[in-house]
């Protein structure tokens, strides 16, 4: 009888040497891509023909890897979001770094799952969490977990806060069984992810009290005390103060010591949203601005912002490691710890919602090792100094005005309009032309009812000359657009 030839397949290439050559090409192209980023537009619109490429249906037959790469180079790499560009200042992004990109690549090559286990990647993940604690002055006994970003990190902190103050075993019985409805408090400048968090936690959006801010966009402590007292009188359970160490609109930093004192007096949890500002703690000239962050019960911070880790990388830290683990740990029969071997390590999934976790620690670890935390601190100081420089440039231009005080690295300003009713239209048009002409990418927002353009200098490639160019272009485009609006 003839032997049956069994053809078994794999995703590994038939010829590794071909893949090796193409990989060298990809790395060479990637180096040139980052090296020359300044020579390209900050953003450009995609032609309809390129957009069309993304409508093709599921490929069922193979395509040579070289062709796949060329399609990526032509249609994807050529039309980036732009946040690695020196004149990208929209929303609040980091600008990535090449070492971090190598870390992403190596993490994917190793392919480890950071749900837990006894292996090097898991130890390195824990080390990065320890470094995050050290950077903000948190005790070594605290726990933490790397997550996708600030939104998830805030959700982790608020989950532990809810469970610690629920008055029952809320994991077992649910929020409906809580003796009193819980309330959480933050300023009217809180990031929108907190709304998603309280909704997800079953508390409802109404349970998140938005407390008024002062002229510096910091939470009004007296108004906060009043809100807490009123809720107590109404039979509610004030559970958690959410402080902002760097608000998303303007970068304002709440008075963290005052909030830590208040939380202690009221027996409440203090969670600090430090997605923007927590890492100012490593910036020698400005670290005093976040003094008190080390007193929080939990902190959310974002290595993909001021550590410029390639997306995604957030970190949640919790002072009380037991409360943290108690909020998430589940030990199913198929994930029990073994006395020896691979399953002898810590189960990292017990500190968050995910079971499978990516090896996002490596990209942070490699860049911190290469440059040292001191350099990241200096870069944060550099961005803050650049934002202050931009503030001065704006104040020196009669046709421009600041709309909010500059606290750290975010500047809110606008082009003045002779006709106040058109001020938003004019400024939006300026923002769009800056983007479409590839000059710079800003975003806009509304602060205390005033619309403005917003420049977030969270970018290690930005130079002062870029900010001078921005101001010159805003003045120029603003004059043109205002004339058009007057003629309407
Ligand atoms: C203050 C603040 N909190 C939370 C977030 C959410 O972080 P992420 O986008 O990493 O989920 C941001 C995002 O910019 C932020 O600025």
């Amino acid at each position: 009888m003839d032997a049956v030839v069994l053809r078994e397949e794999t995703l590994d290439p038939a010829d590794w040497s071909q893949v090796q050559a193409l990989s060298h090409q990809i790395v060479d192209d990637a180096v040139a891509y980052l090296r020359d980023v300044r020579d390209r537009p900050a953003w450009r619109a995609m032609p309809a023909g390129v957009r069309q490429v993304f409508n093709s249906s599921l490929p069922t037959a193979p395509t040579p890897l070289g062709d796949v790469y060329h399609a990526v180079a032509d249609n994807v790499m050529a039309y980036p979001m732009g946040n690695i560009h020196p004149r990208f200042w929209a929303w609040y992004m980091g600008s990535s770094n090449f070492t971090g990109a190598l870390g992403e690549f190596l993490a994917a090559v190793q392919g480890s799952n950071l749900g837990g286990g006894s292996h090097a990647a898991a130890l390195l993940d824990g080390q990065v969490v320890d470094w995050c604690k050290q950077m903000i002055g948190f005790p070594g006994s605290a726990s933490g977990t790397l997550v996708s970003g600030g939104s998830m990190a805030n959700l982790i902190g608020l989950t532990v806060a809810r469970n610690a103050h629920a008055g029952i075993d809320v994991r077992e019985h649910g929020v409906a069984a809580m003796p009193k409805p819980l309330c959480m408090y933050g300023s009217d400048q809180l990031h929108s992810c907190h709304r998603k968090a309280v909704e997800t936690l079953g508390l409802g959006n109404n349970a998140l009290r938005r407390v008024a801010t002062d002229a510096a966009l910091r939470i009004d402590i007296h108004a906060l005390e009043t809100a807490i007292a009123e809720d107590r009188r109404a039979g509610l359970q004030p559970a958690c103060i959410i402080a902002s160490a760097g608000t998303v609109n303007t970068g304002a930093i709440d008075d963290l010591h005052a909030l830590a004192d208040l939380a202690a007096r009221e027996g409440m949890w203090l969670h600090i949203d430090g997605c923007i500002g927590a890492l100012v703690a490593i910036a020698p000239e400005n670290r005093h601005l976040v003094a008190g962050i080390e007193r929080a019960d939990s902190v959310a911070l974002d290595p993909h912002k001021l550590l410029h880790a390639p997306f995604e990388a957030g970190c949640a830290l919790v002072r009380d490691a037991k409360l943290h683990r108690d909020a998430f740990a589940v030990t199913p029969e198929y994930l029990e710890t073994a006395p020896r071997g691979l399953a002898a390590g810590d189960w990292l999934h017990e500190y968050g919602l995910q079971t499978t976790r990516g090896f996002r620690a490596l990209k942070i670890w490699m860049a911190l090792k290469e440059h040292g935390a001191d350099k990241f601190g200096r870069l944060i100081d550099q961005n803050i100094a650049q934002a202050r420089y931009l503030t001065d440039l704006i104040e020196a231009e009669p046709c421009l005005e600041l709309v909010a005080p500059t606290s750290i690295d975010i500047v809110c300003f606008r082009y003045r309009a002779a006709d106040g009713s058109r001020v938003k239209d004019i400024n939006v048009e300026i923002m769009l032309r800056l983007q479409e002409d590839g000059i710079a990418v800003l975003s806009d927002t509304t602060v205390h009812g005033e619309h403005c353009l917003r420049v977030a200098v969270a970018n290690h490639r930005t130079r002062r000359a870029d900010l001078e160019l921005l101001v010159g272009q805003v003045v120029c485009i603003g004059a043109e657009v205002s004339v058009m609006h007057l003629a309407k």
Side-chain angles (χ1 to χ4, degrees), residues 92 149-151 154 191 193 246-248 273 275-276 302 304-305:
Y92 200 99
S151 304
N154 280 310
H191 189 272
C193 70
T247 59
V248 60
D273 178 348
C275 290
I276 286 182
D302 244 355
H304 64 203
K305 292 189 168 73

Side-chain angles (χ1 to χ4, degrees), residues 136-159:
I136 67 156
F138 238 44
S141 57
S143 56
T145 184
L146 296 178
V147 290
S148 55
S151 304
M152 283 305 295
N154 280 310
L155 177 61
I156 299 281
L158 297 188
T159 305

Side-chain angles (χ1 to χ4, degrees), residues 118 336-345 347:
S118 176
E336 281 184 3
T337 305
R340 298 191 314 281
L342 177 56
W347 289 111

